[in-house]
mmCIF file of all heavy atoms in Angstrom:
data_model
loop_
_atom_site.group_PDB
_atom_site.id
_atom_site.type_symbol
_atom_site.label_atom_id
_atom_site.label_comp_id
_atom_site.label_asym_id
_atom_site.label_seq_id
_atom_site.Cartn_x
_atom_site.Cartn_y
_atom_site.Cartn_z
ATOM 1 N N ARG A 1149 -74.367 2.958 -4.853
ATOM 2 C CA ARG A 1149 -75.822 2.911 -5.065
ATOM 3 C C ARG A 1149 -76.519 3.962 -4.206
ATOM 4 O O ARG A 1149 -77.530 4.513 -4.594
ATOM 5 C CB ARG A 1149 -76.353 1.522 -4.747
ATOM 6 C CG ARG A 1149 -75.974 0.554 -5.843
ATOM 7 C CD ARG A 1149 -76.867 -0.662 -5.910
ATOM 8 N NE ARG A 1149 -76.326 -1.561 -6.906
ATOM 9 C CZ ARG A 1149 -75.596 -2.643 -6.613
ATOM 10 N NH1 ARG A 1149 -75.382 -2.987 -5.367
ATOM 11 N NH2 ARG A 1149 -75.109 -3.394 -7.585
ATOM 12 N N LEU A 1160 -68.969 12.319 -11.739
ATOM 13 C CA LEU A 1160 -68.655 11.088 -11.006
ATOM 14 C C LEU A 1160 -69.068 11.208 -9.547
ATOM 15 O O LEU A 1160 -68.964 12.295 -8.987
ATOM 16 C CB LEU A 1160 -67.154 10.786 -11.092
ATOM 17 C CG LEU A 1160 -66.641 10.490 -12.507
ATOM 18 C CD1 LEU A 1160 -65.126 10.304 -12.488
ATOM 19 C CD2 LEU A 1160 -67.314 9.244 -13.086
ATOM 20 N N PRO A 1161 -69.472 10.126 -8.912
ATOM 21 C CA PRO A 1161 -69.725 8.827 -9.517
ATOM 22 C C PRO A 1161 -70.907 8.901 -10.484
ATOM 23 O O PRO A 1161 -71.796 9.732 -10.306
ATOM 24 C CB PRO A 1161 -70.049 7.927 -8.308
ATOM 25 C CG PRO A 1161 -70.586 8.863 -7.280
ATOM 26 C CD PRO A 1161 -69.866 10.153 -7.481
ATOM 27 N N TRP A 1169 -68.500 1.678 -14.613
ATOM 28 C CA TRP A 1169 -67.385 2.589 -14.326
ATOM 29 C C TRP A 1169 -66.345 1.868 -13.453
ATOM 30 O O TRP A 1169 -65.150 1.911 -13.740
ATOM 31 C CB TRP A 1169 -67.961 3.821 -13.626
ATOM 32 C CG TRP A 1169 -66.986 4.776 -13.033
ATOM 33 C CD1 TRP A 1169 -66.009 5.475 -13.691
ATOM 34 C CD2 TRP A 1169 -66.898 5.164 -11.650
ATOM 35 N NE1 TRP A 1169 -65.323 6.282 -12.805
ATOM 36 C CE2 TRP A 1169 -65.862 6.105 -11.545
ATOM 37 C CE3 TRP A 1169 -67.598 4.828 -10.500
ATOM 38 C CZ2 TRP A 1169 -65.497 6.708 -10.338
ATOM 39 C CZ3 TRP A 1169 -67.243 5.423 -9.304
ATOM 40 C CH2 TRP A 1169 -66.211 6.340 -9.226
ATOM 41 N N PHE A 1179 -58.248 1.801 -3.677
ATOM 42 C CA PHE A 1179 -58.226 1.619 -2.223
ATOM 43 C C PHE A 1179 -59.623 1.888 -1.697
ATOM 44 O O PHE A 1179 -60.300 2.807 -2.178
ATOM 45 C CB PHE A 1179 -57.240 2.599 -1.571
ATOM 46 C CG PHE A 1179 -55.827 2.371 -2.010
ATOM 47 C CD1 PHE A 1179 -55.320 3.020 -3.124
ATOM 48 C CD2 PHE A 1179 -55.023 1.477 -1.333
ATOM 49 C CE1 PHE A 1179 -54.021 2.787 -3.557
ATOM 50 C CE2 PHE A 1179 -53.729 1.237 -1.758
ATOM 51 C CZ PHE A 1179 -53.231 1.892 -2.869
ATOM 52 N N ARG A 1212 -66.118 14.249 6.561
ATOM 53 C CA ARG A 1212 -65.564 15.060 7.646
ATOM 54 C C ARG A 1212 -65.219 14.215 8.860
ATOM 55 O O ARG A 1212 -65.227 14.699 9.980
ATOM 56 C CB ARG A 1212 -66.516 16.198 8.083
ATOM 57 C CG ARG A 1212 -66.857 17.226 7.055
ATOM 58 C CD ARG A 1212 -65.899 18.238 6.598
ATOM 59 N NE ARG A 1212 -64.733 18.718 7.235
ATOM 60 C CZ ARG A 1212 -64.429 20.003 7.361
ATOM 61 N NH1 ARG A 1212 -65.263 20.926 6.994
ATOM 62 N NH2 ARG A 1212 -63.272 20.359 7.858
ATOM 63 N N LEU A 1220 -56.361 9.836 0.209
ATOM 64 C CA LEU A 1220 -55.523 10.571 -0.754
ATOM 65 C C LEU A 1220 -54.045 10.313 -0.467
ATOM 66 O O LEU A 1220 -53.229 10.197 -1.385
ATOM 67 C CB LEU A 1220 -55.839 12.074 -0.700
ATOM 68 C CG LEU A 1220 -55.073 12.938 -1.708
ATOM 69 C CD1 LEU A 1220 -55.291 12.459 -3.141
ATOM 70 C CD2 LEU A 1220 -55.464 14.417 -1.596
ATOM 71 N N LYS A 1224 -51.010 9.008 -2.879
ATOM 72 C CA LYS A 1224 -49.687 9.635 -2.983
ATOM 73 C C LYS A 1224 -48.589 8.593 -2.816
ATOM 74 O O LYS A 1224 -47.638 8.524 -3.580
ATOM 75 C CB LYS A 1224 -49.517 10.696 -1.877
ATOM 76 C CG LYS A 1224 -49.930 12.081 -2.275
ATOM 77 C CD LYS A 1224 -49.725 13.051 -1.129
ATOM 78 C CE LYS A 1224 -48.261 13.378 -0.865
ATOM 79 N NZ LYS A 1224 -48.085 14.336 0.252
ATOM 80 N N ARG A 1233 -43.998 10.614 -11.615
ATOM 81 C CA ARG A 1233 -43.421 11.954 -11.407
ATOM 82 C C ARG A 1233 -44.460 12.969 -10.942
ATOM 83 O O ARG A 1233 -44.125 13.966 -10.312
ATOM 84 C CB ARG A 1233 -42.808 12.471 -12.698
ATOM 85 C CG ARG A 1233 -41.459 11.859 -12.972
ATOM 86 C CD ARG A 1233 -40.683 12.677 -13.978
ATOM 87 N NE ARG A 1233 -39.325 12.194 -14.057
ATOM 88 C CZ ARG A 1233 -38.332 12.647 -13.323
ATOM 89 N NH1 ARG A 1233 -38.515 13.600 -12.454
ATOM 90 N NH2 ARG A 1233 -37.117 12.144 -13.452
ATOM 91 N N ARG A 1234 -45.736 12.712 -11.295
ATOM 92 C CA ARG A 1234 -46.742 13.747 -11.028
ATOM 93 C C ARG A 1234 -48.102 13.098 -10.821
ATOM 94 O O ARG A 1234 -48.462 12.183 -11.562
ATOM 95 C CB ARG A 1234 -46.786 14.674 -12.238
ATOM 96 C CG ARG A 1234 -47.697 15.850 -12.137
ATOM 97 C CD ARG A 1234 -47.518 16.702 -13.393
ATOM 98 N NE ARG A 1234 -48.365 17.880 -13.363
ATOM 99 C CZ ARG A 1234 -49.599 17.937 -13.855
ATOM 100 N NH1 ARG A 1234 -50.142 16.877 -14.400
ATOM 101 N NH2 ARG A 1234 -50.294 19.055 -13.790
ATOM 102 N N GLY A 1237 -55.415 15.905 -10.230
ATOM 103 C CA GLY A 1237 -56.846 15.620 -10.137
ATOM 104 C C GLY A 1237 -57.606 16.830 -10.627
ATOM 105 O O GLY A 1237 -57.053 17.930 -10.711
ATOM 106 N N THR A 1239 -61.653 18.676 -10.411
ATOM 107 C CA THR A 1239 -63.014 18.656 -9.894
ATOM 108 C C THR A 1239 -63.656 20.009 -10.200
ATOM 109 O O THR A 1239 -63.035 20.849 -10.863
ATOM 110 C CB THR A 1239 -63.009 18.334 -8.380
ATOM 111 O OG1 THR A 1239 -64.349 18.173 -7.946
ATOM 112 C CG2 THR A 1239 -62.320 19.419 -7.553
ATOM 113 N N PRO A 1241 -64.518 23.761 -9.736
ATOM 114 C CA PRO A 1241 -63.763 24.800 -9.018
ATOM 115 C C PRO A 1241 -64.363 25.151 -7.656
ATOM 116 O O PRO A 1241 -63.656 25.649 -6.791
ATOM 117 C CB PRO A 1241 -63.821 26.006 -9.962
ATOM 118 C CG PRO A 1241 -64.070 25.422 -11.317
ATOM 119 C CD PRO A 1241 -64.886 24.182 -11.100
ATOM 120 N N ALA A 1245 -64.282 21.162 -0.500
ATOM 121 C CA ALA A 1245 -63.838 20.016 0.306
ATOM 122 C C ALA A 1245 -62.655 19.325 -0.375
ATOM 123 O O ALA A 1245 -61.607 19.103 0.239
ATOM 124 C CB ALA A 1245 -64.993 19.038 0.496
ATOM 125 N N GLY A 1254 -50.297 18.789 0.351
ATOM 126 C CA GLY A 1254 -49.155 19.264 -0.444
ATOM 127 C C GLY A 1254 -49.430 19.424 -1.925
ATOM 128 O O GLY A 1254 -48.515 19.744 -2.684
ATOM 129 N N VAL A 1256 -50.791 21.300 -5.231
ATOM 130 C CA VAL A 1256 -50.777 22.707 -5.602
ATOM 131 C C VAL A 1256 -51.947 22.935 -6.553
ATOM 132 O O VAL A 1256 -52.250 22.072 -7.384
ATOM 133 C CB VAL A 1256 -49.440 23.013 -6.331
ATOM 134 C CG1 VAL A 1256 -49.408 24.439 -6.848
ATOM 135 C CG2 VAL A 1256 -48.261 22.724 -5.414
ATOM 136 N N PRO A 1261 -58.866 26.184 -13.310
ATOM 137 C CA PRO A 1261 -59.722 26.115 -12.119
ATOM 138 C C PRO A 1261 -60.183 24.682 -11.827
ATOM 139 O O PRO A 1261 -60.611 23.972 -12.733
ATOM 140 C CB PRO A 1261 -60.908 27.010 -12.476
ATOM 141 C CG PRO A 1261 -60.405 27.920 -13.545
ATOM 142 C CD PRO A 1261 -59.380 27.130 -14.314
ATOM 143 N N TYR A 1265 -52.322 19.434 -8.463
ATOM 144 C CA TYR A 1265 -51.279 18.458 -8.810
ATOM 145 C C TYR A 1265 -50.182 18.466 -7.755
ATOM 146 O O TYR A 1265 -50.067 19.402 -6.955
ATOM 147 C CB TYR A 1265 -50.670 18.760 -10.195
ATOM 148 C CG TYR A 1265 -49.874 20.041 -10.219
ATOM 149 C CD1 TYR A 1265 -48.509 20.046 -9.942
ATOM 150 C CD2 TYR A 1265 -50.503 21.267 -10.480
ATOM 151 C CE1 TYR A 1265 -47.788 21.225 -9.938
ATOM 152 C CE2 TYR A 1265 -49.789 22.441 -10.479
ATOM 153 C CZ TYR A 1265 -48.429 22.417 -10.203
ATOM 154 O OH TYR A 1265 -47.712 23.589 -10.185
ATOM 155 N N ILE A 1266 -49.393 17.390 -7.801
ATOM 156 C CA ILE A 1266 -48.194 17.333 -6.952
ATOM 157 C C ILE A 1266 -47.098 16.657 -7.765
ATOM 158 O O ILE A 1266 -47.369 15.735 -8.545
ATOM 159 C CB ILE A 1266 -48.470 16.570 -5.630
ATOM 160 C CG1 ILE A 1266 -47.326 16.753 -4.647
ATOM 161 C CG2 ILE A 1266 -48.751 15.089 -5.859
ATOM 162 C CD1 ILE A 1266 -47.676 16.329 -3.222
ATOM 163 N N PHE A 1268 -43.353 14.687 -7.697
ATOM 164 C CA PHE A 1268 -42.517 13.910 -6.778
ATOM 165 C C PHE A 1268 -41.060 13.982 -7.199
ATOM 166 O O PHE A 1268 -40.746 13.926 -8.388
ATOM 167 C CB PHE A 1268 -42.889 12.431 -6.802
ATOM 168 C CG PHE A 1268 -44.259 12.152 -6.266
ATOM 169 C CD1 PHE A 1268 -45.102 11.311 -6.952
ATOM 170 C CD2 PHE A 1268 -44.689 12.723 -5.085
ATOM 171 C CE1 PHE A 1268 -46.367 11.033 -6.467
ATOM 172 C CE2 PHE A 1268 -45.961 12.458 -4.600
ATOM 173 C CZ PHE A 1268 -46.793 11.606 -5.289
ATOM 174 N N GLU A 1269 -40.233 14.016 -6.189
ATOM 175 C CA GLU A 1269 -38.826 13.807 -6.434
ATOM 176 C C GLU A 1269 -38.700 12.319 -6.724
ATOM 177 O O GLU A 1269 -39.327 11.509 -6.051
ATOM 178 C CB GLU A 1269 -38.048 14.172 -5.175
ATOM 179 C CG GLU A 1269 -36.574 14.084 -5.309
ATOM 180 C CD GLU A 1269 -35.853 14.517 -4.026
ATOM 181 O OE1 GLU A 1269 -36.450 14.429 -2.942
ATOM 182 O OE2 GLU A 1269 -34.712 14.918 -4.120
ATOM 183 N N THR A 1272 -34.715 7.595 -6.842
ATOM 184 C CA THR A 1272 -33.255 7.564 -6.906
ATOM 185 C C THR A 1272 -32.675 8.916 -6.493
ATOM 186 O O THR A 1272 -31.677 8.981 -5.786
ATOM 187 C CB THR A 1272 -32.797 7.226 -8.341
ATOM 188 O OG1 THR A 1272 -33.602 6.184 -8.815
ATOM 189 C CG2 THR A 1272 -31.354 6.828 -8.384
ATOM 190 N N ARG A 1278 -30.089 11.855 0.163
ATOM 191 C CA ARG A 1278 -29.918 11.386 1.544
ATOM 192 C C ARG A 1278 -28.533 10.784 1.757
ATOM 193 O O ARG A 1278 -27.901 11.006 2.790
ATOM 194 C CB ARG A 1278 -31.020 10.361 1.874
ATOM 195 C CG ARG A 1278 -30.945 9.779 3.248
ATOM 196 C CD ARG A 1278 -31.134 10.845 4.341
ATOM 197 N NE ARG A 1278 -30.821 10.277 5.643
ATOM 198 C CZ ARG A 1278 -30.105 10.893 6.583
ATOM 199 N NH1 ARG A 1278 -29.635 12.118 6.390
ATOM 200 N NH2 ARG A 1278 -29.857 10.307 7.730
ATOM 201 N N GLU A 1281 -26.184 13.501 2.332
ATOM 202 C CA GLU A 1281 -26.311 14.051 3.695
ATOM 203 C C GLU A 1281 -25.555 13.162 4.679
ATOM 204 O O GLU A 1281 -24.859 13.655 5.580
ATOM 205 C CB GLU A 1281 -27.791 14.077 4.114
ATOM 206 C CG GLU A 1281 -28.586 15.244 3.578
ATOM 207 C CD GLU A 1281 -30.098 15.077 3.863
ATOM 208 O OE1 GLU A 1281 -30.490 14.183 4.663
ATOM 209 O OE2 GLU A 1281 -30.849 15.828 3.249
ATOM 210 N N GLY A 1288 -17.386 13.236 5.612
ATOM 211 C CA GLY A 1288 -16.852 13.072 4.256
ATOM 212 C C GLY A 1288 -15.757 12.017 4.188
ATOM 213 O O GLY A 1288 -15.645 11.158 5.070
ATOM 214 N N ARG A 1292 -16.532 4.896 1.604
ATOM 215 C CA ARG A 1292 -17.752 4.351 2.231
ATOM 216 C C ARG A 1292 -19.015 4.740 1.459
ATOM 217 O O ARG A 1292 -20.111 4.805 2.035
ATOM 218 C CB ARG A 1292 -17.822 4.823 3.684
ATOM 219 C CG ARG A 1292 -16.740 4.159 4.545
ATOM 220 C CD ARG A 1292 -16.665 4.732 5.935
ATOM 221 N NE ARG A 1292 -17.930 4.703 6.652
ATOM 222 C CZ ARG A 1292 -18.141 5.311 7.821
ATOM 223 N NH1 ARG A 1292 -17.166 5.971 8.407
ATOM 224 N NH2 ARG A 1292 -19.322 5.246 8.414
ATOM 225 N N GLN A 1299 -27.391 2.769 3.470
ATOM 226 C CA GLN A 1299 -28.096 3.323 4.641
ATOM 227 C C GLN A 1299 -29.261 4.216 4.174
ATOM 228 O O GLN A 1299 -30.383 4.131 4.694
ATOM 229 C CB GLN A 1299 -27.133 4.127 5.508
ATOM 230 C CG GLN A 1299 -27.831 4.622 6.790
ATOM 231 C CD GLN A 1299 -26.925 5.455 7.685
ATOM 232 O OE1 GLN A 1299 -25.708 5.228 7.723
ATOM 233 N NE2 GLN A 1299 -27.506 6.390 8.397
ATOM 234 N N ASP A 1311 -45.383 8.865 6.365
ATOM 235 C CA ASP A 1311 -44.500 9.945 6.813
ATOM 236 C C ASP A 1311 -43.716 10.547 5.665
ATOM 237 O O ASP A 1311 -43.032 11.543 5.831
ATOM 238 C CB ASP A 1311 -43.498 9.407 7.844
ATOM 239 C CG ASP A 1311 -44.207 8.976 9.096
ATOM 240 O OD1 ASP A 1311 -45.342 9.419 9.309
ATOM 241 O OD2 ASP A 1311 -43.637 8.156 9.839
#
Side-chain angles (χ1 to χ4, degrees):
R1149 286 203 185 101
L1160 296 176
W1169 170 60
F1179 297 90
R1212 298 288 339 227
L1220 183 56
K1224 268 180 73 180
R1233 282 198 171 269
R1234 183 176 181 269
T1239 187
V1256 175
Y1265 68 91
I1266 191 166
F1268 294 134
E1269 184 178 25
T1272 316
R1278 179 63 190 137
E1281 279 171 12
R1292 290 173 55 189
Q1299 184 181 328
D1311 294 340

